[in-house]
Amino acid sequence: MAASLFLSGCSVRKDTSDSENSGSSNGSGSGDRVVNVCSWGEYIDESLIDQFEEETGIKVNYQTAESNEVLYSQLSMGGVDYDVIVPSDYMISQLIEEDMLAELNYDNIPNFEKIDDRFKNLSYDPENKYTVPYTWGTLGIISNTAKVQEPITSWSAMFDPQYAGNVLLINNSRDALGIALLYLGYSVNTTDEAEIQEAYQLIADAVKNGVYQGKVMDEVFQKMEGGNAAIATYYAGDYLSMLENNEDLAYVVPEEGSNWFVDAMCVLKTSQHKEEAEAWINFMASTEANLRNMDYIWYASPNAEALETYPAYYEETYGEPLDPALYEIMAPSQEVLDRCEAYLVLPAETRTLYNDLWTQLGI
């Protein structure tokens, strides 16, 4: 998941709380405890921030970053004071590789036990030393059914001149080159330079043919909700948010497969507020927080209890059943995930190649 480098503060809303969310905090409400969180835009029920502050006395400074690559650039350049970050799987691997993350004290994060085992010991953190999963989902194609001639089922739509000026290219190199690699039948984790160059050329030709209206991250909400573009690549949870504002939108994991991802909460080694950071992580890993977050941001929870009970939670909250088709998009079946690949961290020389090719596109 990714969002815009709008370094914005957060608004909050009042809500009730329960003891499960109190976690390891022992704040006195003195106002001198703080946690600095950097996540993605449209990625939290902001009332949870208010609840955490009320329960713990810890002030939350909540900011957003545009993409994993932009976040990494910020961290590499220094000058940011984040404690908790929420990168995607492959970026977590890179941050661990470069010794930028602190090992967590899971005694302070008892809600880690609520995380489904299938989201533990994954390739990006095989020994579960550094992370607590936050959300998971898929990357797919969002189309406006009023603007396309037939149902979209293939990544070919992202390069098709018939939609010239009506396609939004996702504004990060890993996803953009990844969809081209998938269309060509290659792995999203290939290190073969010829394959990556072929994927780049596919996008470059589409640029030359005027296929892309532009590159977007958070701007995709306004563009697709407003009917200002026909096709975009984005994340399932965000699609479900857009659908609330434009019922003409459709989502598909293309026939060639896609990326499935886990975003996880980590603490930076430079953190000056590690205890507060772990209290925040524990709070956000609770079942209540996960249920409310699923309901607000439409991203699947890694909390096993929340994932299982969300349909009932939805029906109790809204007085009507959750549409199974929407829940399948939010929390896709294993059959769908089996057609997808998780991103792995790429070797340094391949990452450099990605950056160079992305710069050359210059959209």
Side-chain angles (χ1 to χ4, degrees), residues 169-259:
L169 183 65
I170 194 165
N171 192 15
N172 74 70
S173 59
R174 192 70 197 265
D175 285 333
L177 286 165
I179 66 177
L181 288 166
L182 286 163
Y183 175 64
L184 293 168
Y186 303 137
S187 169
V188 295
N189 298 308
T190 183
T191 58
D192 186 308
E193 182 173 349
E195 293 179 353
I196 296 168
Q197 289 281 2
E198 188 179 350
Y200 160 78
Q201 194 59 52
L202 182 63
I203 299 173
D205 289 344
V207 171
K208 182 179 178 181
N209 291 328
V211 171
Y212 303 121
Q213 189 180 113
K215 291 190 294 188
V216 298
M217 290 303 290
D218 267 357
E219 303 93 331
V220 72
F221 286 91
Q222 178 269 321
K223 292 281 190 180
M224 296 305 292
E225 290 174 356
N228 298 313
I231 297 171
T233 302
Y234 224 59
Y235 312 101
D238 292 319
Y239 158 73
L240 292 168
S241 294
M242 295 178 212
L243 183 63
E244 293 182 295
N245 297 310
N246 187 338
E247 63 183 14
D248 289 332
L249 300 181
Y251 180 86
V252 66
V253 173
E255 58 198 29
E256 298 93 348
S258 188
N259 164 242

XYZ file of all heavy atoms in Angstrom, residues 169-259:
698
model
N -1.092 5.582 -14.473
C 0.019 4.710 -14.104
C 0.352 4.927 -12.641
O 0.473 6.059 -12.184
C 1.240 5.022 -14.975
C 2.477 4.137 -14.757
C 2.191 2.688 -15.150
C 3.676 4.676 -15.545
N 0.492 3.857 -11.901
C 0.814 3.980 -10.482
C 2.210 4.572 -10.321
O 3.145 4.221 -11.048
C 0.689 2.615 -9.784
C 0.677 2.781 -8.266
C 1.759 1.635 -10.241
C 0.210 1.551 -7.518
N 2.349 5.486 -9.378
C 3.575 6.280 -9.281
C 4.596 5.662 -8.326
O 5.057 6.290 -7.380
C 3.239 7.708 -8.846
C 4.426 8.643 -9.020
O 5.395 8.309 -9.704
N 4.367 9.813 -8.411
N 4.931 4.403 -8.551
C 6.116 3.834 -7.916
C 6.666 2.745 -8.824
O 5.916 2.035 -9.506
C 5.839 3.330 -6.493
C 5.046 2.053 -6.439
O 5.542 0.987 -6.797
N 3.800 2.150 -5.988
N 7.972 2.660 -8.853
C 8.637 1.823 -9.850
C 8.384 0.338 -9.631
O 8.271 -0.416 -10.603
C 10.140 2.101 -9.839
O 10.699 1.845 -8.554
N 8.289 -0.097 -8.386
C 8.152 -1.542 -8.139
C 6.825 -2.056 -8.683
O 6.761 -3.100 -9.332
C 8.267 -1.836 -6.636
C 8.431 -3.335 -6.312
C 9.802 -3.810 -6.765
N 9.893 -5.267 -6.851
C 10.364 -6.068 -5.900
N 10.769 -5.564 -4.759
N 10.449 -7.360 -6.103
N 5.733 -1.329 -8.407
C 4.434 -1.756 -8.918
C 4.327 -1.572 -10.428
O 3.808 -2.438 -11.129
C 3.304 -0.978 -8.229
C 3.036 -1.452 -6.806
O 3.300 -2.628 -6.509
O 2.560 -0.653 -5.991
N 4.785 -0.437 -10.924
C 4.638 -0.165 -12.358
C 5.413 -1.173 -13.207
O 4.885 -1.740 -14.173
C 5.095 1.257 -12.666
N 6.672 -1.395 -12.865
C 7.452 -2.378 -13.609
C 6.952 -3.793 -13.322
O 6.998 -4.669 -14.197
C 8.932 -2.248 -13.270
C 9.618 -1.020 -13.881
C 10.962 -0.758 -13.223
C 9.789 -1.189 -15.386
N 6.422 -3.999 -12.119
C 5.887 -5.312 -11.767
C 4.725 -5.725 -12.648
O 4.648 -6.874 -13.106
N 3.804 -4.793 -12.930
C 2.652 -5.162 -13.760
C 3.091 -5.443 -15.195
O 2.529 -6.319 -15.863
C 1.539 -4.095 -13.711
C 1.988 -2.782 -14.334
C 1.071 -3.878 -12.289
C 0.892 -1.720 -14.382
N 4.113 -4.724 -15.658
C 4.638 -4.996 -16.999
C 5.303 -6.367 -17.043
O 5.137 -7.128 -18.011
C 5.613 -3.896 -17.410
N 6.054 -6.708 -16.005
C 6.689 -8.024 -15.947
C 5.638 -9.136 -15.937
O 5.784 -10.147 -16.630
C 7.573 -8.119 -14.693
C 8.870 -7.304 -14.735
C 9.468 -7.195 -13.343
C 9.880 -7.925 -15.700
N 4.578 -8.946 -15.164
C 3.521 -9.949 -15.107
C 2.869 -10.138 -16.471
O 2.628 -11.271 -16.908
C 2.474 -9.536 -14.073
C 2.889 -9.692 -12.607
C 1.967 -8.879 -11.710
C 2.868 -11.158 -12.200
N 2.587 -9.039 -17.149
C 1.964 -9.124 -18.469
C 2.845 -9.892 -19.451
O 2.355 -10.663 -20.280
C 1.672 -7.719 -18.997
C 1.142 -7.725 -20.414
C -0.082 -8.312 -20.711
C 1.884 -7.170 -21.450
C -0.573 -8.339 -22.013
C 1.406 -7.188 -22.750
C 0.184 -7.769 -23.033
O -0.292 -7.802 -24.320
N 4.152 -9.718 -19.300
C 5.097 -10.389 -20.193
C 5.368 -11.840 -19.780
O 6.089 -12.555 -20.472
C 6.411 -9.602 -20.223
C 6.328 -8.210 -20.866
C 7.595 -7.403 -20.576
C 6.092 -8.324 -22.375
N 4.796 -12.245 -18.656
C 4.969 -13.617 -18.206
C 6.178 -13.850 -17.325
O 6.592 -15.000 -17.119
N 6.753 -12.754 -16.791
C 7.941 -12.873 -15.948
C 7.572 -12.714 -14.480
O 6.509 -12.207 -14.132
C 8.969 -11.803 -16.334
C 9.396 -11.847 -17.780
C 9.531 -10.673 -18.514
C 9.681 -13.052 -18.415
C 9.928 -10.690 -19.848
C 10.084 -13.081 -19.742
C 10.205 -11.890 -20.458
O 10.587 -11.926 -21.771
N 8.491 -13.112 -13.619
C 8.297 -12.936 -12.188
C 8.493 -11.473 -11.790
O 9.367 -10.780 -12.337
C 9.296 -13.800 -11.411
O 9.303 -13.450 -10.037
N 7.710 -11.014 -10.818
C 7.909 -9.646 -10.322
C 9.226 -9.531 -9.572
O 9.682 -8.425 -9.283
C 6.753 -9.211 -9.394
C 5.451 -9.126 -10.146
C 6.621 -10.138 -8.184
N 9.856 -10.659 -9.276
C 11.118 -10.650 -8.533
C 12.316 -10.983 -9.416
O 13.406 -11.251 -8.903
C 11.044 -11.633 -7.361
C 9.969 -11.246 -6.370
O 9.937 -10.114 -5.907
N 9.077 -12.175 -6.042
N 12.126 -10.936 -10.730
C 13.237 -11.246 -11.622
C 14.399 -10.283 -11.416
O 14.206 -9.092 -11.130
C 12.787 -11.206 -13.091
O 13.893 -11.597 -13.925
C 12.336 -9.822 -13.506
N 15.595 -10.805 -11.574
C 16.791 -9.957 -11.582
C 17.432 -9.955 -12.959
O 18.523 -9.403 -13.135
C 17.808 -10.455 -10.542
O 18.149 -11.813 -10.825
C 17.243 -10.362 -9.127
N 16.762 -10.565 -13.935
C 17.262 -10.630 -15.304
C 17.121 -9.247 -15.949
O 16.010 -8.765 -16.158
C 16.461 -11.666 -16.079
C 17.002 -11.909 -17.480
O 17.190 -10.917 -18.230
O 17.210 -13.081 -17.838
N 18.234 -8.620 -16.268
C 18.193 -7.257 -16.782
C 17.424 -7.173 -18.097
O 16.703 -6.193 -18.345
C 19.610 -6.702 -16.978
C 19.608 -5.256 -17.458
C 20.993 -4.641 -17.489
O 21.941 -5.244 -16.943
O 21.126 -3.533 -18.068
N 17.554 -8.178 -18.943
C 16.848 -8.161 -20.229
C 15.335 -8.157 -20.013
O 14.593 -7.453 -20.717
C 17.269 -9.352 -21.074
N 14.861 -8.947 -19.056
C 13.427 -8.984 -18.767
C 12.948 -7.644 -18.215
O 11.876 -7.144 -18.595
C 13.119 -10.118 -17.788
C 13.345 -11.502 -18.379
C 13.068 -12.641 -17.409
O 12.829 -12.352 -16.215
O 13.093 -13.804 -17.842
N 13.729 -7.055 -17.335
C 13.352 -5.760 -16.753
C 13.365 -4.677 -17.819
O 12.470 -3.811 -17.869
C 14.291 -5.412 -15.582
C 14.122 -6.444 -14.455
C 14.013 -3.998 -15.051
C 15.179 -6.372 -13.373
N 14.354 -4.719 -18.702
C 14.403 -3.743 -19.797
C 13.199 -3.904 -20.723
O 12.649 -2.913 -21.228
C 15.702 -3.915 -20.587
C 16.961 -3.471 -19.867
C 17.173 -1.955 -19.884
O 16.355 -1.203 -20.418
N 18.273 -1.511 -19.300
N 12.778 -5.138 -20.953
C 11.614 -5.389 -21.793
C 10.352 -4.801 -21.145
O 9.506 -4.214 -21.829
C 11.451 -6.886 -22.033
C 10.385 -7.235 -23.062
C 10.266 -8.726 -23.294
O 11.131 -9.493 -22.810
O 9.285 -9.137 -23.957
N 10.249 -4.958 -19.841
C 9.108 -4.387 -19.116
C 9.133 -2.861 -19.189
O 8.096 -2.210 -19.412
C 9.134 -4.848 -17.666
N 10.321 -2.294 -19.011
C 10.463 -0.842 -19.137
C 10.023 -0.372 -20.516
O 9.300 0.629 -20.654
C 11.913 -0.428 -18.872
C 12.256 0.928 -19.443
C 11.858 2.098 -18.809
C 12.946 1.033 -20.654
C 12.144 3.342 -19.350
C 13.240 2.264 -21.197
C 12.843 3.417 -20.546
O 13.120 4.640 -21.096
N 10.441 -1.090 -21.548
C 10.118 -0.672 -22.912
C 8.625 -0.726 -23.166
O 8.067 0.118 -23.890
C 10.860 -1.546 -23.924
C 10.849 -0.973 -25.344
C 11.479 0.406 -25.414
O 12.612 0.611 -24.947
N 10.750 1.375 -25.984
N 7.953 -1.690 -22.568
C 6.496 -1.786 -22.698
C 5.829 -0.519 -22.148
O 4.932 0.051 -22.784
C 6.000 -3.020 -21.946
C 4.502 -3.321 -22.010
C 4.046 -3.606 -23.434
C 4.173 -4.511 -21.103
N 6.301 -0.067 -21.000
C 5.746 1.155 -20.414
C 6.155 2.369 -21.239
O 5.336 3.258 -21.510
C 6.215 1.319 -18.958
C 5.740 0.135 -18.110
C 5.703 2.629 -18.369
C 6.304 0.129 -16.705
N 7.405 2.413 -21.661
C 7.895 3.552 -22.444
C 7.119 3.690 -23.754
O 6.802 4.821 -24.185
C 9.392 3.391 -22.729
N 6.806 2.587 -24.401
C 6.011 2.641 -25.629
C 4.610 3.169 -25.349
O 4.044 3.935 -26.149
C 5.931 1.250 -26.268
C 7.252 0.797 -26.873
O 8.141 1.652 -27.067
O 7.389 -0.422 -27.140
N 4.045 2.762 -24.204
C 2.724 3.268 -23.837
C 2.771 4.764 -23.566
O 1.847 5.508 -23.929
C 2.191 2.509 -22.618
N 3.850 5.216 -22.959
C 4.029 6.661 -22.751
C 4.077 7.377 -24.092
O 3.401 8.390 -24.310
C 5.319 6.938 -21.941
C 5.622 8.429 -21.911
C 5.199 6.392 -20.520
N 4.866 6.831 -25.016
C 5.006 7.427 -26.350
C 3.669 7.481 -27.081
O 3.385 8.432 -27.827
C 6.018 6.610 -27.158
C 6.301 7.155 -28.556
C 7.340 6.298 -29.269
C 7.605 6.795 -30.685
N 8.610 5.940 -31.392
N 2.837 6.477 -26.855
C 1.531 6.408 -27.513
C 0.450 7.202 -26.793
O -0.718 7.150 -27.185
C 1.087 4.947 -27.645
C 1.942 4.168 -28.628
O 2.432 4.717 -29.609
N 2.125 2.871 -28.364
N 0.841 7.909 -25.731
C -0.106 8.774 -25.029
C -1.133 8.027 -24.201
O -2.215 8.560 -23.911
N -0.800 6.786 -23.820
C -1.763 5.977 -23.066
C -2.043 6.594 -21.696
O -3.190 6.623 -21.235
C -1.251 4.529 -22.909
C -2.140 3.745 -21.938
C -1.211 3.842 -24.270
N -0.990 7.126 -21.053
C -1.140 7.545 -19.663
C -1.545 9.001 -19.536
O -0.935 9.895 -20.124
C 0.151 7.289 -18.882
C 0.570 5.840 -18.938
C 1.809 5.463 -19.456
C -0.292 4.836 -18.492
C 2.185 4.133 -19.515
C 0.068 3.498 -18.556
C 1.302 3.152 -19.074
O 1.661 1.833 -19.154
N -2.563 9.204 -18.724
C -2.972 10.547 -18.348
C -1.960 11.146 -17.378
O -1.770 12.350 -17.315
C -4.359 10.467 -17.693
C -5.023 11.787 -17.429
C -6.378 11.585 -16.784
O -6.580 11.938 -15.618
N -7.321 10.992 -17.513
N -1.309 10.270 -16.616
C -0.289 10.705 -15.667
C 0.029 9.604 -14.689
O -0.519 8.503 -14.750
N 0.975 9.897 -13.789
C 1.325 8.993 -12.707
C 0.656 9.495 -11.435
O 0.703 10.687 -11.138
C 2.843 8.932 -12.507
C 3.593 8.256 -13.639
C 5.057 7.996 -13.285
C 5.856 9.254 -13.110
N 7.296 8.993 -12.965
N 0.068 8.590 -10.671
C -0.670 9.009 -9.479
C -0.445 8.036 -8.329
O -0.140 6.864 -8.524
C -2.193 9.093 -9.746
C -2.505 10.135 -10.803
C -2.768 7.741 -10.147
N -0.627 8.577 -7.132
C -0.809 7.737 -5.950
C -2.159 8.146 -5.357
O -3.174 7.760 -5.872
C 0.364 7.889 -4.979
C 1.661 7.277 -5.519
S 1.596 5.507 -5.965
C 1.444 4.722 -4.386
N -2.167 8.952 -4.288
C -3.449 9.323 -3.673
C -4.391 10.047 -4.626
O -5.608 10.009 -4.446
C -3.215 10.228 -2.463
C -3.129 9.425 -1.167
O -3.298 8.195 -1.215
O -2.890 10.029 -0.118
N -3.841 10.687 -5.653
C -4.697 11.399 -6.606
C -5.663 10.453 -7.312
O -6.655 10.891 -7.893
C -3.837 12.123 -7.649
C -2.835 13.108 -7.080
C -1.463 12.497 -6.830
O -1.399 11.274 -6.561
O -0.465 13.240 -6.886
N -5.380 9.155 -7.251
C -6.245 8.181 -7.912
C -7.665 8.229 -7.358
O -8.629 7.979 -8.083
C -5.653 6.753 -7.792
C -5.785 6.220 -6.376
C -6.299 5.810 -8.790
N -7.822 8.572 -6.095
C -9.161 8.633 -5.505
C -10.016 9.657 -6.252
O -11.122 9.355 -6.718
C -9.078 9.006 -4.019
C -8.585 7.892 -3.148
C -7.231 7.748 -2.871
C -9.463 6.981 -2.591
C -6.768 6.733 -2.065
C -9.016 5.953 -1.771
C -7.660 5.827 -1.513
N -9.507 10.864 -6.370
C -10.266 11.931 -7.032
C -10.495 11.602 -8.501
O -11.599 11.792 -9.030
C -9.511 13.263 -6.885
C -10.172 14.448 -7.579
C -9.673 14.626 -9.013
O -8.485 14.453 -9.298
N -10.572 14.978 -9.919
N -9.483 11.048 -9.136
C -9.579 10.758 -10.568
C -10.627 9.686 -10.860
O -11.461 9.837 -11.759
C -8.220 10.309 -11.106
C -7.150 11.399 -11.126
C -7.324 12.312 -12.309
C -6.123 13.228 -12.473
N -6.292 14.143 -13.637
N -10.586 8.592 -10.117
C -11.488 7.485 -10.404
C -12.886 7.724 -9.827
O -13.887 7.398 -10.468
C -10.909 6.174 -9.875
C -9.601 5.756 -10.553
S -9.694 5.637 -12.373
C -10.777 4.217 -12.588
N -12.967 8.294 -8.667
C -14.283 8.601 -8.100
C -15.032 9.622 -8.948
O -16.255 9.563 -9.094
C -14.145 9.108 -6.667
C -13.717 8.053 -5.674
C -13.449 8.607 -4.284
O -13.524 9.839 -4.095
O -13.166 7.802 -3.380
N -14.280 10.564 -9.512
C -14.897 11.623 -10.310
C -15.128 11.258 -11.760
O -15.615 12.081 -12.534
N -14.761 10.039 -12.165
C -14.948 9.632 -13.547
C -14.021 10.328 -14.511
O -14.329 10.454 -15.706
N -12.840 10.731 -14.023
C -11.894 11.477 -14.854
C -10.865 10.588 -15.541
O -9.978 11.092 -16.243
C -11.177 12.531 -14.001
C -12.150 13.540 -13.423
O -13.003 14.056 -14.129
N -12.025 13.820 -12.134
N -10.951 9.295 -15.325
C -10.065 8.338 -15.995
C -10.814 7.015 -16.094
O -11.765 6.758 -15.345
C -8.754 8.163 -15.223
N -10.377 6.182 -17.029
C -11.064 4.908 -17.262
C -10.431 3.740 -16.527
O -11.127 2.824 -16.087
C -11.101 4.602 -18.759
N -9.106 3.775 -16.376
C -8.377 2.604 -15.867
C -7.238 3.079 -14.976
O -6.550 4.056 -15.297
C -7.811 1.766 -17.033
C -8.945 1.200 -17.889
C -6.924 0.638 -16.523
C -8.465 0.546 -19.169
N -7.042 2.353 -13.879
C -5.914 2.646 -12.990
C -5.449 1.348 -12.341
O -6.179 0.357 -12.289
C -6.323 3.648 -11.913
N -4.236 1.360 -11.852
C -3.720 0.280 -11.021
C -3.674 0.782 -9.597
O -3.085 1.825 -9.329
C -2.297 -0.123 -11.449
O -2.310 -0.523 -12.816
C -1.777 -1.261 -10.597
N -4.316 0.044 -8.690
C -4.220 0.424 -7.278
C -4.611 -0.756 -6.420
O -4.757 -1.874 -6.915
C -5.076 1.662 -6.985
C -4.339 2.674 -6.118
C -3.139 3.227 -6.541
C -4.835 3.061 -4.875
C -2.451 4.136 -5.752
C -4.153 3.974 -4.078
C -2.964 4.500 -4.528
O -2.277 5.404 -3.758
N -4.767 -0.507 -5.140
C -4.897 -1.562 -4.147
C -6.363 -1.827 -3.809
O -7.198 -0.931 -3.797
C -4.110 -1.180 -2.899
C -2.720 -0.708 -3.225
C -2.413 0.649 -3.256
C -1.716 -1.614 -3.553
C -1.141 1.092 -3.579
C -0.437 -1.178 -3.880
C -0.155 0.180 -3.891
O 1.096 0.609 -4.231
N -6.659 -3.102 -3.500
C -8.040 -3.539 -3.321
C -8.785 -2.728 -2.272
O -9.940 -2.334 -2.475
C -8.062 -5.022 -2.945
N -8.147 -2.474 -1.136
C -8.816 -1.722 -0.084
C -9.206 -0.334 -0.530
O -10.303 0.165 -0.208
N -8.336 0.314 -1.283
C -8.643 1.654 -1.773
C -9.744 1.620 -2.822
O -10.564 2.538 -2.900
C -7.379 2.306 -2.347
C -6.361 2.612 -1.256
O -6.781 3.066 -0.180
O -5.170 2.371 -1.469
N -9.757 0.568 -3.622
C -10.866 0.421 -4.570
C -12.202 0.398 -3.838
O -13.177 1.055 -4.251
C -10.716 -0.858 -5.392
C -12.034 -1.319 -5.968
C -12.634 -0.637 -7.033
C -12.730 -2.393 -5.411
C -13.878 -1.022 -7.528
C -13.961 -2.794 -5.910
C -14.527 -2.099 -6.964
O -15.758 -2.471 -7.447
N -12.297 -0.353 -2.752
C -13.553 -0.460 -2.023
C -13.974 0.887 -1.450
O -15.171 1.197 -1.381
C -13.433 -1.512 -0.923
C -13.290 -2.954 -1.441
C -12.888 -3.900 -0.311
C -14.581 -3.426 -2.104
N -13.000 1.705 -1.066
C -13.327 3.066 -0.619
C -13.859 3.902 -1.780
O -14.830 4.646 -1.629
C -12.090 3.740 -0.015
O -11.688 3.091 1.174
N -13.230 3.775 -2.941
C -13.677 4.521 -4.120
C -15.076 4.094 -4.555
O -15.881 4.912 -4.997
C -12.694 4.308 -5.279
C -11.308 4.846 -5.062
S -10.258 4.455 -6.497
C -8.673 4.262 -5.689
N -15.355 2.797 -4.430
C -16.642 2.268 -4.871
C -17.799 2.920 -4.125
O -18.891 3.077 -4.681
C -16.665 0.750 -4.664
C -17.909 -0.002 -5.139
C -18.071 0.115 -6.656
C -17.818 -1.474 -4.724
N -17.552 3.312 -2.894
C -18.603 3.981 -2.118
C -19.022 5.294 -2.772
O -20.143 5.758 -2.586
C -18.109 4.242 -0.696
C -17.891 2.978 0.122
C -17.443 3.285 1.540
O -16.335 3.843 1.709
O -18.189 2.980 2.476
N -18.133 5.882 -3.560
C -18.403 7.177 -4.185
C -18.641 7.093 -5.688
O -18.974 8.098 -6.313
C -17.247 8.148 -3.896
C -17.107 8.435 -2.421
O -18.079 8.771 -1.749
N -15.897 8.276 -1.896
N -18.428 5.920 -6.277
C -18.684 5.747 -7.710
C -18.993 4.280 -7.977
O -18.088 3.443 -8.068
C -17.484 6.200 -8.549
C -17.780 6.197 -10.036
O -18.683 5.502 -10.506
N -17.011 6.961 -10.801
N -20.289 3.968 -8.119
C -20.713 2.579 -8.272
C -20.378 1.994 -9.636
O -20.570 0.797 -9.870
C -22.211 2.465 -8.017
C -23.078 3.243 -8.994
C -24.558 3.162 -8.671
O -24.902 2.738 -7.560
O -25.365 3.545 -9.548
N -19.852 2.809 -10.565
C -19.455 2.303 -11.877
C -18.092 1.619 -11.856
O -17.674 1.038 -12.862
C -19.409 3.445 -12.907
C -20.785 3.958 -13.279
O -21.746 3.171 -13.200
O -20.899 5.146 -13.639
N -17.389 1.690 -10.737
C -16.037 1.157 -10.686
C -16.032 -0.356 -10.458
O -16.888 -0.898 -9.757
C -15.232 1.855 -9.588
C -15.074 3.374 -9.733
C -14.227 3.931 -8.599
C -14.466 3.744 -11.087
N -15.059 -1.018 -11.070
C -14.880 -2.469 -10.919
C -13.416 -2.756 -10.603
O -12.518 -1.959 -10.917
C -15.299 -3.190 -12.199
N -13.165 -3.905 -9.983
C -11.809 -4.295 -9.591
C -11.547 -5.733 -10.023
O -12.433 -6.590 -9.917
C -11.652 -4.199 -8.073
C -10.288 -4.588 -7.554
C -9.253 -3.657 -7.485
C -10.027 -5.894 -7.119
C -8.001 -4.008 -6.999
C -8.784 -6.254 -6.638
C -7.771 -5.305 -6.583
O -6.522 -5.651 -6.105
N -10.332 -5.984 -10.486
C -9.973 -7.345 -10.866
C -8.500 -7.597 -10.570
O -7.656 -6.721 -10.734
C -10.255 -7.602 -12.369
C -9.354 -6.747 -13.259
C -10.107 -9.081 -12.712
N -8.209 -8.784 -10.075
C -6.843 -9.300 -10.077
C -6.665 -9.958 -11.447
O -7.312 -10.958 -11.740
C -6.625 -10.323 -8.957
C -5.248 -10.976 -9.090
C -6.761 -9.653 -7.596
N -5.844 -9.381 -12.320
C -5.785 -9.847 -13.711
C -5.396 -11.321 -13.858
O -4.796 -11.928 -12.965
C -4.733 -8.927 -14.339
C -4.808 -7.683 -13.514
C -5.046 -8.169 -12.120
N -5.744 -11.845 -15.001
C -5.542 -13.272 -15.274
C -4.069 -13.670 -15.226
O -3.738 -14.835 -14.964
C -6.130 -13.618 -16.641
C -5.541 -12.828 -17.789
C -6.390 -12.856 -19.052
O -7.622 -12.983 -18.945
O -5.805 -12.741 -20.144
N -3.175 -12.715 -15.476
C -1.747 -13.033 -15.434
C -1.214 -13.107 -13.999
O -0.048 -13.452 -13.792
C -0.932 -11.973 -16.196
C -1.262 -11.864 -17.665
C -2.332 -10.803 -17.951
O -2.976 -10.308 -16.984
O -2.516 -10.465 -19.128
N -2.066 -12.777 -13.020
C -1.628 -12.727 -11.637
C -1.284 -11.312 -11.217
O -1.388 -10.361 -11.993
N -0.865 -11.175 -9.973
C -0.564 -9.845 -9.456
C 0.347 -9.969 -8.246
O 0.904 -11.035 -7.967
C -1.856 -9.101 -9.098
O -1.573 -7.748 -8.771
N 0.483 -8.871 -7.539
C 1.214 -8.825 -6.276
C 0.230 -8.940 -5.119
O -0.813 -8.296 -5.125
C 1.988 -7.504 -6.172
C 2.459 -7.187 -4.758
O 2.058 -6.193 -4.179
N 3.303 -8.034 -4.199
